[in-house]
Amino acid sequence: MSTPITEEDLVQSIADALQFISYYHPEDYIRHLAESYRLEQSPAAKNAMAQILANSRMAAFGRRPICQDTGVVNVFMKIGMGARFATGRPLDELVNEGVRRAWKADTNPLRASMVREPLFDRKNTGDNTPANLHVEMVAGDQVEVHVAAKGGGSENKSRFATLEPSDSVVDWVLRTVETLGAGWCPPGLIGLGIGGSAEKAMLLAKQSLLDPIDMTELRARGPASKLEEMRIELWEKINALGIGAQGLGGLTTVLDVKIRTFPVHAASLPVGLIPQCAADRHAHFVLDGSGPATLTPPDLDLWPEIALDGIAAGARRVDLDRLTPAEVATWRAGETLLLSGKLLTGRDAAHLRMTRMLAAGEPLPVNFRDRAIYYVGPVDAVGDEAVGPAGPTTSTRMDRFTETMLAETGLLVMIGKAERGPAAIEAIKAHGAAYLIAVGGAAYLVSKAIKSARVLAFGDLGMEAIHEFTVVDMPVTVAVDAQGTSVHREGPARWRAAARTA
């Protein structure tokens, strides 16, 4: 008879795994990203990869989150039919206790992002519960657990389609990836689930992202099946789109394409697509009743040496406390800036509240005239930190508020990640403003440029409150300049054309 698995062993193993993946990238991700960095020819994309790699190494040494969006917890559990739990409590209750313990850790608190009710008040649960738990009963007497944390930016780019059996999956994937933009923070992975049913295809896609990244090895030895041929074809064709790191244009958009399949009705071809961002976070362990799981950190010599002063070489220094429309008008799309001074923050909830106040004729609690706002929801600080990891959130969610904010508050500069939509770009051009991007997936690196932080307004919104940061040499790239030129349009188009003529 198998040894019972105690409540504490399961709870602590879940908590330890979630802490572990918050600051350690999997080794296979680092190896593939380092190789792509070595080969990258686009200066903007190479700079972005350098920041992601430097951030990853810093997070590993500092044991602080790789990304400020510490993710929705996904737990995939295979329970042996002969396994025993020494508990009468529901399994999801134990898993959520592990999540709660991980998120409340004193030395590395994680950002609570889950809201209890999805439609109306959307109040934060405060501890990132509940997790998404998937259970499979299998042969054996052990419990196999795979824990992952998925950020909202990449999760929001998930797609599903029911194709005709004669349709080309490759063509659909390429058309779909072209529409995703950069909000999912490439370079990352594309996970595909093909077959089963609608819900099965999406689950397969999510599970495929847990498979080892092996594209380098696969291409070296050659495909051994039609499925491996499809993976290589998709890897080549997606990268030939020229999207590049952070959507800036370049050779590498995906490090790997993962595919899982399942038998399907003869009339159907359901396909799920889920991208994984640069914060690729997951861990695997097995429980057999002998105690909690032990996780082995990656070799810290795995990361390439990257000189941080080289990341901002040739950048223009900007004093945020003396911003003027005349100065902003001189910035050009693709240019690197180093920001110093007072920087406001605000994202979805704050923008919604402010636009409602403006519509009601109410004064705002903060003066935005000739100021810059950073779309961020930071992690809480620990020790002597001014703020925890504080990378950008996806800016397209703020597009609907852009015209109002620029026209009615005098806001001059916005900072986030990914592209802006046509209406937002037109508003930026009309008001002589600018949109800058920080590198998604470099949250810990960005936080080192923040020297102080305080809440100015909307404290009840938690991480979405309006803060004022004091920053020194915060690296950003001009993504949309005052003339309306967008690097997210021009960069990928240039590298796509280069791929076609290569």
Side-chain angles (χ1 to χ4, degrees):
M1 184 176 291
S2 63
T3 304
I5 298 167
T6 68
E7 287 186 3
E8 180 61 19
D9 284 353
L10 177 59
V11 170
Q12 191 59 50
S13 297
I14 295 287
D16 288 347
L18 289 168
Q19 278 284 308
F20 184 91
I21 65 177
S22 76
Y23 44 73
Y24 288 137
H25 266 121
E27 288 190 3
D28 53 6
Y29 180 87
I30 294 301
R31 284 196 302 269
H32 280 73
L33 182 60
E35 178 63 9
S36 294
Y37 169 74
R38 185 182 69 82
L39 297 173
E40 185 57 66
Q41 297 175 27
S42 162
K46 196 174 185 75
N47 181 290
M49 287 185 190
Q51 292 191 50
I52 293 169
L53 285 164
N55 176 80
S56 176
R57 192 169 189 271
M58 290 170 64
F61 275 97
R63 295 198 172 190
R64 291 291 275 141
I66 294 166
C67 180
Q68 81 289 339
D69 185 352
T70 44
V72 174
V73 176
N74 297 273
V75 177
F76 300 88
M77 198 174 293
K78 292 183 178 180
I79 302 176
M81 296 294 287
R84 292 189 298 146
F85 289 99
T87 180
R89 296 167 64 188
L91 192 58
D92 63 345
E93 189 175 302
L94 297 177
V95 168
N96 286 329
E97 185 175 325
V99 174
R100 193 173 296 112
R101 187 177 297 183
W103 253 252
K104 296 294 186 179
D106 291 338
T107 55
N108 184 39
L110 306 179
R111 194 187 81 180
S113 299
M114 293 293 289
V115 295
R116 175 68 59 188
E117 194 284 318
L119 288 176
F120 305 109
D121 62 8
R122 294 180 65 86
K123 185 176 181 180
N124 199 299
T125 63
D127 56 17
N128 220 58
T129 62
N132 294 320
L133 174 62
H134 304 277
V135 177
E136 183 181 354
M137 302 301 296
V138 298
D141 58 5
Q142 297 180 330
V143 175
E144 183 180 351
V145 184
H146 215 135
V147 173
K150 192 74 158 54
S154 59
E155 192 71 1
N156 289 347
K157 299 297 184 176
S158 301
R159 299 291 184 265
F160 172 79
T162 301
L163 303 182
E164 298 290 341
S166 59
D167 286 340
S168 167
V169 171
V170 170
D171 289 348
W172 178 81
V173 170
L174 293 175
R175 290 195 305 270
T176 301
V177 170
E178 282 192 280
T179 69
L180 298 184
W184 61 281
C185 273
L189 313 172
I190 293 294
L192 297 175
I194 304 171
S197 56
E199 76 281 5
K200 182 68 173 180
M202 293 304 290
L203 181 59
L204 290 169
K206 181 67 66 68
Q207 290 174 316
S208 76
L209 295 172
L210 307 178
D211 295 339
I213 302 173
D214 62 352
M215 183 55 68
T216 299
E217 296 82 358
L218 174 58
R219 294 176 65 235
R221 66 168 168 81
S225 66
K226 289 186 178 298
L227 201 62
E228 289 186 343
E229 288 178 5
M230 179 182 283
R231 285 179 56 202
I232 294 173
E233 180 184 5
L234 281 167
W235 178 87
E236 291 174 342
K237 289 182 175 179
I238 291 172
N239 285 327
L241 294 175
I243 296 167
Q246 302 294 296
L248 295 170
L251 299 178
T252 298
T253 302
V254 291
L255 304 180
D256 205 339
V257 177
K258 315 306 296 186
I259 306 175
R260 288 197 184 190
T261 65
F262 195 82
V264 68
H265 191 288
S268 303
L269 185 58
V271 183
L273 181 154
I274 302 180
Q276 174 58 60
C277 65
D280 182 31
R281 296 167 294 198
H282 59 93
H284 171 266
F285 59 87
V286 175
L287 298 176
D288 58 8
S290 62
T294 300
L295 299 167
T296 303
D299 183 351
L300 294 181
D301 291 331
L302 185 65
W303 282 264
E305 290 290 341
I306 294 174
L308 292 179
D309 55 358
I311 291 175
R316 184 197 306 210
R317 282 182 157 78
V318 172
D319 185 349
L320 292 172
D321 299 330
R322 293 177 173 80
L323 272 183
T324 65
E327 179 185 3
V328 171
T330 68
W331 300 349
R332 291 294 176 263
E335 183 178 8
T336 301
L337 309 178
L338 294 177
L339 307 181
S340 296
K342 298 292 192 297
L343 176 63
L344 299 172
T345 78
R347 41 176 282 169
D348 311 62
H351 277 75
L352 179 60
R353 186 174 294 184
M354 286 190 292
T355 53
R356 286 176 174 173
M357 292 175 70
L358 290 168
E362 301 173 12
L364 298 184
V366 177
N367 181 9
F368 289 90
R369 175 68 56 184
D370 292 340
R371 299 289 300 273
I373 192 169
Y374 183 28
Y375 303 147
V376 63
V379 176
D380 289 342
V382 297
D384 60 357
E385 292 178 341
V387 69
T393 197
T394 306
S395 301
T396 46
R397 300 200 310 274
M398 266 54 72
D399 280 5
R400 68 186 62 187
F401 308 115
T402 299
E403 171 60 30
T404 298
M405 290 296 295
L406 295 180
E408 299 192 34
T409 73
L411 179 69
L412 192 54
V413 174
M414 298 156 285
I415 307 164
K417 72 171 184 179
E419 70 284 347
R420 305 305 296 265
I425 291 174
E426 284 303 311
I428 290 167
K429 180 179 179 180
H431 295 282
Y435 167 59
L436 319 176
I437 56 169
V439 172
Y444 193 44
L445 176 63
V446 170
S447 73
K448 295 304 180 183
I450 303 170
K451 306 306 178 183
S452 68
R454 62 185 180 120
V455 174
L456 293 187
F458 306 158
D460 61 298
L461 296 181
M463 59 98 173
E464 295 206 62
I466 296 177
H467 297 74
E468 184 178 70
F469 292 165
T470 300
V471 300
V472 175
D473 288 347
M474 176 178 167
V476 294
T477 300
V478 181
V480 181
D481 61 28
Q483 289 71 45
T485 304
S486 169
V487 71
H488 287 108
R489 289 178 178 173
E490 297 198 346
R494 182 165 59 251
W495 285 93
R496 184 180 309 182
R500 287 172 178 166
T501 57

